């Protein structure tokens, strides 16, 4: 919900196992800087520390995966604590806050005059307060660059800096690459768009970054999935880093100039000092790299990349896309045409399998007028398959596209490429029948079978009203390419030319 | 006015514009589900 609206969302759990079941979700929100208030209930104060029934120390457990954890000790403190939780979750770099409340604190009745108004959020959005010297130095360095690139992350989306990024890029003709969290921050149909940079980014984009003399990183944090071997990343370039969190500056890469600011305020201040430039030579070079290094789209209709493009063609233009984690996530990130922010919801930092379905349910509740599409894999959906019951109860407009290869594919891929094809714990020996699982939850389930003459197409399945699960068989040999081997420099990319098979799919699911 | 801790939380969430919460129910969370929980 928070990812699709930009506003904080709330989850509540009972003590013990209820609370520990939130731990992964809280860590997920921390790594992706998502404003979340998690209220966990606790055993009564007098029993804390006695190993009471369903007691676990949530305050201690969540300290390292939250912006702040609070244990309420009196009922009188609750109004201030809830206000603080929202203020902290939204201020500066967003993130999760845990409020642990013992049962007797919840039950106690007190005399109270009035609840306080929501606290003011400190969001640094006043660009007049940014240091003028640093801002003009950044503008000068951009103006004097010969081969600049913009590297845009989730911070663009968090601060809704879409127009500013577009203006900055277009005014000075700077190509824009995005991270997984930054997808949608820049329109993919712009001539300046380079797609993703990094492990599963475009080969050309990684080469362009290697040739750049200036990398302008805004709202991102040089994660290893983006940089590859960080020492090699942008080694011919000066680095400008703009991030709301000063602790990210110089953490991974030494910067030439840095500015601790939210993305929008920084760009608002810098754009007037940026000169117009057409950069014909540099843009021509980028175009050549793209033509030379990037492979054409797959022509095989059963390839997941083709399936994703077919789904995007059939989907509403403003559909919200969620993914789980794995090969399907990378195929979606690489192939779905994202034009606006907050319509791609994915677990970026933590890589949480099981994220897609509950995220789709939240997005559908928060955006009842929109279509929500959840791309998942057979491995991922099983991690939270019980949420099909919630989906059925609420009858939400969620279409689940299940790319089913019978494998934990991205792990299998690494076993194939880097661990001598020693496939351990990555194959589903007994494949579940997912359309039947959906039907058991009272959700419409379809199996796409390209070998059957009268099989429904994805487009037809997606037109069915209400929640739908569409199982799409995928050959297990399909890997996500291109790929930078973990720990390697980004310019070492495996392209993995797949043999085009014309025989029918191995698995036909009813 | 008199309010329970649970009521304070729910009214505070409403003040922050929260209309929907996701959750896992259970023993310790029971007071949140009633309009006025009995004092322990």
């Amino acid at each position: 919900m928070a990812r699709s609206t930009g506003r904080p969302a709330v989850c509540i759990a009972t003590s013990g196992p209820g609370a520990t079941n939130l731990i992964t979700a809280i860590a997920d929100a921390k790594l992706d800087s998502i404003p979340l208030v998690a209220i966990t209930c606790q055993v009564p104060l007098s029993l804390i520390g006695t190993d009471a029934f369903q007691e676990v120390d949530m305050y201690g457990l969540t300290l390292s995966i939250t912006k702040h954890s609070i244990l309420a000790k009196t009922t009188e403190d609750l109004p201030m604590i809830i206000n603080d939780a929202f203020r902290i979750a939204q201020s500066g770099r967003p993130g999760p806050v845990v409020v642990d409340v013992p049962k007797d604190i919840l039950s106690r009745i007190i005399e109270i005059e009035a609840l306080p108004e929501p606290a003011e959020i400190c969001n640094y959005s006043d660009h007049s307060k940014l240091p003028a010297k640093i801002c003009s130095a950044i503008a000068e360095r951009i103006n004097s660059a010969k081969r600049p690139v913009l590297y845009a992350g989730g911070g663009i989306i968090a601060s809704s800096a879409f127009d500013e990024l577009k203006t900055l890029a277009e005014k000075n003709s700077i190509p824009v690459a995005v991270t997984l969290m930054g997808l949608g921050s820049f329109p993919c149909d712009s001539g300046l768009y380079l797609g993703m940079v990094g492990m599963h980014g475009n080969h050309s984009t990684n080469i362009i970054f290697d040739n750049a003399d200036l990398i302008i990183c805004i709202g991102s944090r040089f994660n290893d999935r983006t940089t590859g071997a960080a020492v090699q990343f942008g080694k011919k370039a000066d680095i400008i880093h703009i991030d709301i969190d000063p602790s990210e500056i110089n953490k991974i890469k030494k910067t030439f100039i840095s500015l601790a600011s939210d993305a929008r305020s920084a760009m608002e201040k810098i754009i007037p000092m940026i000169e117009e430039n057409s950069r014909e030579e540099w843009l021509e070079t980028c175009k050549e790299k793209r033509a030379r290094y990037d492979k054409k789209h797959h022509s095989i209709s059963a390839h997941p990349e083709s399936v994703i493009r077919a789904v995007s063609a059939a989907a509403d233009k403003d559909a919200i896309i969620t993914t789980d984690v794995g090969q399907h996530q990378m195929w979606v990130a690489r192939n779905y045409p994202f034009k606006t922010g907050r319509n791609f919801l994915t677990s970026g930092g933590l890589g949480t399998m099981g994220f897609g379905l509950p995220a789709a349910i939240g997005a559908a509740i928060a955006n009842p007028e929109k279509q929500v599409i959840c791309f998942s894999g057979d491995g991922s959906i099983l991690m939270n398959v019980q949420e099909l019951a919630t989906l059925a109860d609420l009858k939400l407009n969620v279409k689940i596209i299940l790319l089913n290869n019978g494998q934990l594919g991205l792990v299998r891929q690494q076993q194939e490429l880097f661990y001598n094809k020693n496939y351990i714990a990555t194959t589903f020996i007994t494949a579940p029948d997912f359309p039947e699982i959906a039907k058991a939850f009272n959700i419409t389930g379809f199996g796409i079978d390209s070998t059957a003459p009268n099989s429904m197409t994805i487009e037809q399945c997606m037109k069915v009203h209400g929640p739908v699960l569409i199982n799409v068989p995928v050959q297990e040999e399909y890997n996500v390419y291109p790929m930078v081997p973990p720990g390697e420099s980004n310019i070492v990319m495996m392209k993995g030319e797949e043999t085009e098979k014309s025989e029918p799919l191995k698995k036909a699911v009813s | 006015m008199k309010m329970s801790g649970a009521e304070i939380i729910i009214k505070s969430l409403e003040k922050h514009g929260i209309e929907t919460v996701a959750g896992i129910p259970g023993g310790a969370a029971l007071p949140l589900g009633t309009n006025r929980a009995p004092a322990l």
Side-chain angles (χ1 to χ4, degrees):
Chain A
M1 293 177 78
R3 286 176 195 254
S4 70
T5 62
R7 297 192 303 273
V10 177
C11 56
I12 300 178
T14 191
S15 65
T20 55
N21 264 322
L22 293 187
I23 295 260
T24 305
I26 294 166
D28 196 272
K30 177 73 164 28
L31 283 187
D32 286 347
S33 305
I34 304 300
L36 173 73
V37 175
I39 298 171
T40 56
C41 303
Q42 185 54 276
V43 300
L45 263 183
S46 59
L47 291 180
I48 287 181
T50 66
D51 289 346
F53 178 64
Q54 296 193 328
E55 181 191 0
V56 67
D57 172 18
M58 275 305 279
Y59 170 78
L61 273 177
T62 56
L63 272 180
S64 65
I65 53 166
T66 53
K67 282 182 84 177
H68 195 52
S69 293
I70 308 163
L71 170 63
K73 295 201 195 70
T74 71
T75 306
E76 283 77 4
D77 287 345
L78 280 177
M80 188 193 69
I81 285 174
I82 300 291
N83 257 20
D84 280 350
F86 277 89
R87 179 178 54 78
I88 294 166
Q90 299 174 84
S91 291
R93 179 181 182 169
V97 177
V98 164
V99 181
D100 200 32
V101 193
K103 188 176 183 181
D104 51 338
I105 306 291
L106 286 174
S107 298
R108 215 177 121 237
I109 294 166
I110 59 167
E111 183 65 35
I112 182 169
E113 281 188 8
L115 291 172
E117 289 306 308
E120 197 174 315
I121 303 154
C122 173
N123 58 9
Y124 312 113
S125 63
D126 185 359
H127 67 71
S128 64
K129 286 183 188 157
L130 293 173
K133 265 188 183 171
I134 291 175
C135 292
S136 59
I138 288 172
E140 273 171 36
R141 184 65 192 88
I142 293 173
N143 290 334
S144 67
K146 294 275 178 285
R147 300 180 307 280
V149 284
L150 273 157
Y151 152 25
I156 304 288
I157 296 169
S159 64
S160 299
F162 311 111
D163 292 342
E164 289 75 12
L165 180 63
K166 201 159 172 282
T167 306
L168 174 62
E170 286 174 355
K171 192 170 181 188
N172 199 258
S173 301
I174 311 171
V176 181
V178 299
T179 65
L180 184 65
M181 290 303 296
L183 278 168
S185 63
F186 194 76
C188 67
D189 50 4
S190 161
L192 291 169
Y193 186 62
L194 297 178
M196 272 203 305
V197 57
M199 180 178 273
H200 289 298
N202 292 326
H203 193 186
S204 64
T205 307
N206 287 346
I207 301 273
I208 290 164
F209 266 61
D210 193 57
N211 281 287
D213 70 342
L214 179 67
I215 295 174
I216 309 147
C217 171
I218 307 181
S220 194
R221 55 184 174 88
F222 298 94
N223 180 265
D224 54 273
R225 286 298 189 269
T226 300
T227 63
V231 184
Q232 302 291 324
F233 181 77
K235 59 182 186 294
K236 297 165 199 153
D238 285 341
I239 288 176
I240 293 173
H241 192 185
I242 298 170
D243 197 277
I244 194 164
D245 182 353
S247 71
E248 291 295 348
I249 309 267
N250 292 321
K251 184 179 87 175
I252 306 284
K253 291 295 283 183
K254 283 268 171 283
T255 52
F256 179 73
I257 317 171
S258 62
L259 178 61
S261 162
D262 73 278
R264 183 150 52 104
S265 309
M267 285 191 278
E268 276 174 359
K269 179 102 171 181
I270 290 162
I271 286 167
M273 296 182 275
I274 295 291
E275 294 163 2
E276 291 200 16
N277 195 334
S278 59
R279 299 197 185 278
E280 277 143 24
E281 200 183 329
W282 174 227
L283 294 187
E284 191 55 38
T285 308
C286 293
K287 212 170 153 187
E288 281 166 22
K289 302 280 183 208
R290 300 209 71 176
R292 181 166 158 203
Y293 289 102
D294 292 347
K295 65 187 171 101
K296 296 271 177 298
H297 289 316
H298 270 278
S299 54
I300 316 166
S301 65
H303 193 284
E305 295 184 2
S306 310
V307 172
I308 289 160
R309 278 195 299 278
V311 171
S312 77
D316 293 351
K317 290 292 156 249
D318 64 348
I320 295 176
I321 311 302
T322 76
T323 74
D324 263 297
V325 171
Q327 287 180 317
H328 72 274
Q329 179 190 29
M330 291 301 117
W331 281 317
V332 170
R334 291 185 50 79
N335 290 280
Y336 201 96
F338 295 109
K339 296 196 176 93
T340 53
R342 294 202 183 94
N343 68 352
F344 176 57
L345 318 181
T346 200
S347 170
L350 195 65
T352 310
M353 291 173 73
F355 171 92
L357 178 54
I361 292 171
I365 293 169
N367 304 270
E369 75 291 357
K370 288 188 182 175
Q371 183 185 47
V372 179
I373 297 170
C374 167
F375 285 97
S376 189
D378 49 316
S380 281
I381 198 142
L382 287 175
M383 301 250 175
N384 261 329
V385 74
Q386 77 283 0
E387 293 305 327
L388 287 174
T390 314
L391 183 59
D393 282 352
L394 300 176
K395 299 184 179 64
L396 299 167
N397 184 20
V398 173
K399 312 298 179 208
I400 303 166
I401 313 290
L402 190 73
L403 296 170
N404 183 349
N405 60 2
Q407 311 277 325
L408 300 175
L410 204 53
V411 185
R412 191 208 64 86
Q413 173 171 342
Q414 297 215 12
Q415 288 172 339
E416 176 190 332
L417 300 175
F418 312 118
Y419 291 87
N420 295 324
K421 302 189 177 179
N422 192 11
Y423 300 123
I424 293 176
T426 46
T427 302
F428 286 97
I429 297 162
T430 311
D433 185 334
F434 286 99
E436 287 300 318
I437 290 176
K439 286 170 199 164
F441 280 98
N442 210 16
I443 287 170
T444 313
F446 294 111
I448 301 292
D449 180 359
S450 58
T451 62
N454 296 320
S455 171
M456 282 175 80
T457 62
I458 288 182
E459 293 83 345
Q460 289 167 328
C461 296
M462 284 174 63
K463 287 201 180 108
V464 173
H465 183 71
V468 173
L469 181 145
I470 306 166
N471 184 73
V472 186
V474 170
Q475 286 185 183
E476 65 189 46
E477 305 82 41
Y478 286 149
N479 285 339
V480 180
Y481 290 118
M483 176 188 194
V484 178
E488 284 280 4
S489 160
N490 270 354
I491 54 170
V492 184
M493 273 206 119
M494 304 169 78
K495 302 201 82 169
E497 295 304 326
E498 282 152 353
T499 49
E500 301 215 352
K501 296 185 178 176
S502 56
E503 77 255 33
L505 295 168
K506 280 166 127 185
K507 274 178 255 166
V509 180
S510 66
Chain B
M1 58 185 159
K2 285 192 183 305
M3 288 178 95
S4 71
E7 286 173 313
I8 290 172
I9 289 180
I10 290 161
K11 294 285 173 210
S12 298
L13 296 185
E14 285 173 0
K15 265 192 174 286
H16 285 87
I18 300 297
E19 294 171 357
T20 311
V21 297
I24 306 168
L30 283 170
L32 282 165
T34 56
N35 288 332
R36 167 125 331 157
L40 281 184

